[in-house]
Amino acid sequence: MDLRRRQLCKYVVVSGLAGGAGCQTSGPAVETVEEPDSDSDLDANEPVQTIDREFGETVRLKSGDGEQLAVTPTNARLASVFFEGESADISSVEPETRGQVFLEIAIDVENTGGGVTDLPDEISFRADGSEYGFDEYANPRGSYDELENISPGSTYEALVTFEIPVTASEGELVLSSEHSFDTIVNWSLDLDTVTRDPGDYTDLSIGTGVTVGRTGPQFSFTVASVETMQEYTYTSSGQSETHVADDGKQFVRVTVSAENTGTGRVKLPRPSVFTLIAGSSQYEHSAYGVRGETYTGGLLSEGVQTEAELLFEIPEDHDPSRVEIELVDGLLGTWTV
């Protein structure tokens, strides 16, 4: 997406928050001019107005037809892994290009006018001399849709996600639109101040939880404890039974906890994606009953927390060293014992 190829936009600034500057309507260069002295509507023949703001500041825009919007970029976040999903299923995505990272920005738009208004139709991010269009992933909060309309008094909230160089330290969020008057807004953003999630879910300590997903479908998952034993007793259908490990073997009981911390139901990892590492071998969970609730995965309702157990049988002379879980497709979490 190259905003310099599309200079026709939708809005002029009418509030004291947004001063203006102009640019040429032909050619790729943008030429800054002085701000207008008043908040009055500009003539439709005026050149494109360029507005420079700090990230997080609200820009109030008004068209010649009286349409008005207040636009605010918020909650910037850098992440090496992007979670997408609009239902119970969550999937993970990595940047397509090595050396890039995801930049997520929430866009809040409010229609402060008296009529139905189109959204600004172009958003990009400039960093290191290049311009990046946003990717339309299945954001839990909703991916920004420039075809949407907003009714008077309504608000629109969505995420825009860019893939930018991991080395970038500063940049600009650029908003442009094609409406009665021409406006381009540049919000400067110091990327060194933005929270960075390295996306590393490996070598976690027992008892440490990880959060999978963003707003919307989201859950936290923890390997709470790892215990070895020669035998254990559990209750099934009101009767107690004792399991004794085979000769030369021992049981390893892994207790896990999960909580649905998002909205709507969420799908937890299947039991088949758990692996126990002991010595130079790996082991799948055993089909035994356990002392407490047997971990089955499946759907977990909003706000619900659960704790359950998996059982492994390994050689008696091996010590468990690591528990591996495929949290979602392609994303491995490991807990070191």
Side-chain angles (χ1 to χ4, degrees):
M1 181 184 300
D2 189 347
L3 296 183
R4 292 169 296 185
R5 297 178 185 173
R6 301 181 64 182
Q7 296 291 341
L8 294 179
C9 314
K10 296 182 180 176
Y11 304 98
V12 296
V13 180
V14 296
S15 77
L17 287 175
C23 74
Q24 298 173 348
T25 55
S26 63
V30 176
E31 178 185 354
T32 301
V33 299
E34 294 181 359
E35 288 188 357
D37 292 333
S38 70
D39 292 333
S40 60
D41 291 349
L42 299 176
D43 186 87
N45 294 322
E46 288 291 325
V48 173
Q49 297 298 303
T50 300
I51 305 165
D52 296 322
R53 288 290 178 268
E54 294 293 327
F55 187 84
E57 291 184 345
T58 298
V59 170
R60 302 185 185 277
L61 308 168
K62 180 179 179 182
S63 76
D65 295 329
E67 298 170 331
Q68 298 183 49
L69 291 179
V71 184
T72 312
T74 64
N75 299 327
R77 175 177 177 270
L78 291 163
S80 299
V81 175
F82 177 83
F83 292 107
E84 64 176 351
E86 296 178 340
S87 61
D89 287 305
I90 301 174
S91 59
S92 63
V93 182
E94 294 183 352
E96 294 183 359
T97 304
R98 184 182 297 274
Q100 290 193 327
V101 67
F102 292 113
L103 170 63
E104 295 176 15
I105 295 175
I107 303 292
D108 296 342
V109 184
E110 180 182 5
N111 185 342
T112 58
V116 176
T117 306
D118 296 333
L119 286 174
D121 62 350
E122 289 191 354
I123 299 178
S124 64
F125 194 82
R126 294 190 187 122
D128 290 352
S130 297
E131 191 157 332
Y132 303 89
F134 72 91
D135 297 301
E136 295 184 356
Y137 295 110
N139 288 294
R141 189 176 177 180
S143 185
Y144 188 88
D145 184 357
E146 63 274 12
L147 300 179
E148 287 281 343
N149 295 323
I150 314 177
S151 300
S154 298
T155 58
Y156 179 87
E157 300 177 352
L159 290 177
V160 289
T161 304
F162 309 93
E163 292 186 31
I164 66 172
V166 69
T167 56
S169 60
E170 59 183 18
E172 286 183 325
L173 178 67
V174 182
L175 178 146
S176 177
S177 61
E178 296 181 1
H179 206 64
S180 299
F181 299 101
D182 301 335
T183 304
I184 295 176
V185 184
N186 302 315
W187 284 278
S188 60
L189 177 59
D190 183 354
L191 295 169
D192 289 337
T193 66
V194 175
T195 300
R196 292 179 182 252
D197 179 0
D200 186 0
Y201 301 89
T202 61
D203 199 24
L204 302 168
S205 59
I206 300 299
T208 300
V210 296
T211 298
V212 180
R214 299 279 281 128
T215 53
Q218 181 189 78
F219 65 91
S220 63
F221 202 93
T222 306
V223 174
S225 65
V226 178
E227 306 170 77
T228 59
M229 63 200 72
Q230 290 298 319
E231 64 178 52
Y232 68 96
T233 300
Y234 77 103
T235 301
S236 176
S237 300
Q239 295 185 351
S240 295
E241 296 186 25
T242 299
H243 276 315
V244 179
D246 294 336
D247 289 344
K249 298 292 185 66
Q250 63 178 333
F251 292 123
V252 180
R253 184 168 58 216
V254 177
T255 303
V256 300
S257 64
E259 181 180 4
N260 185 336
T261 54
T263 56
R265 295 195 299 174
V266 69
K267 186 177 291 185
L268 298 178
R270 306 179 305 278
S272 60
V273 301
F274 286 76
T275 301
L276 178 72
I277 308 297
S280 59
S281 300
Q282 64 181 37
Y283 302 88
E284 308 303 321
H285 76 98
S286 304
Y288 291 117
V290 295
R291 181 186 60 186
E293 180 182 351
T294 301
Y295 180 84
T296 58
L299 294 173
L300 189 65
S301 296
E302 181 178 337
V304 174
Q305 184 173 5
T306 184
E307 184 173 277
E309 300 175 355
L310 296 103
L311 196 71
F312 299 83
E313 193 172 24
I314 68 173
E316 189 176 14
D317 59 351
H318 285 182
D319 291 326
S321 60
R322 190 165 74 251
V323 178
E324 295 183 349
I325 305 168
E326 190 176 27
L327 296 166
V328 295
D329 290 346
L331 182 66
L332 189 68
T334 66
W335 281 258
T336 301
V337 180

